[in-house]
Amino acid sequence: MRFRWATASHVGQVREANEDSVHPEADGAGDGPLLVAVADGLGGHVAGEVASRLAIQAAAATGGDVAARVQAGNAAVVARVREQPELAGMGTTLTLAELTGNEAAIGHVGDSRAYLLRSGSLRQLTTDHSKMEELLSAGLITHDEVPTHPQRAMITRALGLAPDVEVDTVAERLEPGDRLLLCSDGLTSMVDDATIEQLLAGAASVEEAAWSLVDAANAAGGADNITVAVVDAGP
Ligand code: MG
């Protein structure tokens, strides 16, 4: 399988710093294996930036499966906090995909997401580790209540907070024409899935797809940092 990818990260309209990190930073094309990753740092803007960057660097530098990569990201953040106690409390989400042949392996902690667009329809591949997801799946709130809910930003699992973290993994067989999206919540808190589907399906290239999503989040208010990685699986 041949892959084409583009990534984009934007501070948004409200925040002073961008605490998200993305991998790879340069757009490109190749036969794979390809690793793409999005991380959304927490803990104040210096610490958040450190955590998301460290997690992605460690995940990219590690061998092994996607769960091992996410664990390496966790270990790197935990180790840095031990060295620099002033960074205590920093953490990060991490959602990554390793694409090899026609197989996509996804590793995931937090509320960044992976989606797959196939034949024009969008499917979310990951489940958020968030208070909103817990309340939604328990039937205690509706999707309409999420945008204004006081706990809408609360995540229930993150890297960097403990030596061990539970990692979700998802395996997906790719088909030619598939378009994969990884994104931080700065996209999904601003732009609904129907609009994401429409923008992804309508974009002629991965670059156009990535930037049209960032533009849409900014047009909707850009309340958070916005980071996306888009990969096309070709024949
Ligand atoms: Mg965010």
Side-chain angles (χ1 to χ4, degrees):
M1 195 82 87
R2 180 138 182 103
F3 303 111
R4 273 166 289 135
W5 64 89
T7 60
S9 189
H10 193 275
V11 68
Q13 303 300 306
V14 174
R15 301 286 177 89
E16 287 180 6
N18 189 348
E19 298 173 57
D20 290 355
S21 294
V22 67
H23 177 87
E25 289 185 347
D27 301 347
D31 293 330
L34 170 67
L35 181 74
V36 290
V38 166
D40 178 349
L42 327 152
H45 76 251
V46 174
E49 275 179 67
V50 170
S52 66
R53 198 177 57 244
L54 270 176
I56 280 194
Q57 284 171 346
T62 304
D65 61 14
V66 287
R69 289 184 183 279
V70 177
Q71 291 288 358
N74 184 58
V77 179
V78 168
R80 179 62 65 88
V81 172
R82 211 173 285 137
E83 288 163 22
Q84 287 182 258
E86 68 273 19
L87 295 173
M90 75 172 175
T92 186
T93 74
L94 180 60
T95 299
L96 57 79
E98 185 155 30
L99 310 177
T100 310
N102 63 349
E103 301 287 338
I106 291 159
H108 163 68
V109 171
D111 68 349
S112 302
R113 292 181 181 171
Y115 288 93
L116 183 67
L117 182 82
R118 177 173 291 165
S119 306
S121 49
L122 188 73
R123 178 160 56 96
Q124 188 176 332
L125 300 177
T126 50
T127 302
D128 293 352
H129 303 132
S130 69
K131 192 71 188 173
M132 291 303 93
E133 183 64 36
E134 286 183 3
L135 294 177
L136 284 167
S137 59
L140 295 172
I141 59 167
T142 65
H143 283 278
D144 292 345
E145 293 173 71
V146 171
T148 55
H149 196 284
Q151 291 175 298
R152 64 187 175 277
M154 187 181 291
I155 63 172
T156 52
R157 222 190 279 178
L159 303 190
L161 306 180
D164 284 306
V165 67
E166 187 186 350
V167 180
D168 286 2
T169 59
V170 180
E172 188 72 35
R173 181 151 296 189
L174 296 173
E175 295 177 2
D178 281 353
R179 182 166 272 176
L180 181 74
L181 168 68
L182 305 187
C183 60
S184 65
D185 71 330
L187 175 67
T188 51
S189 59
M190 291 285 123
V191 182
D192 63 26
D193 283 7
T195 307
I196 293 173
E197 178 181 81
Q198 195 180 352
L199 291 170
L200 274 180
S205 67
V206 282
E207 293 82 4
E208 185 187 328
W211 286 102
S212 68
L213 293 168
V214 171
D215 290 348
N218 275 320
D224 193 4
N225 308 144
I226 308 139
T227 300
V228 301
V230 180
V231 182
D232 278 357

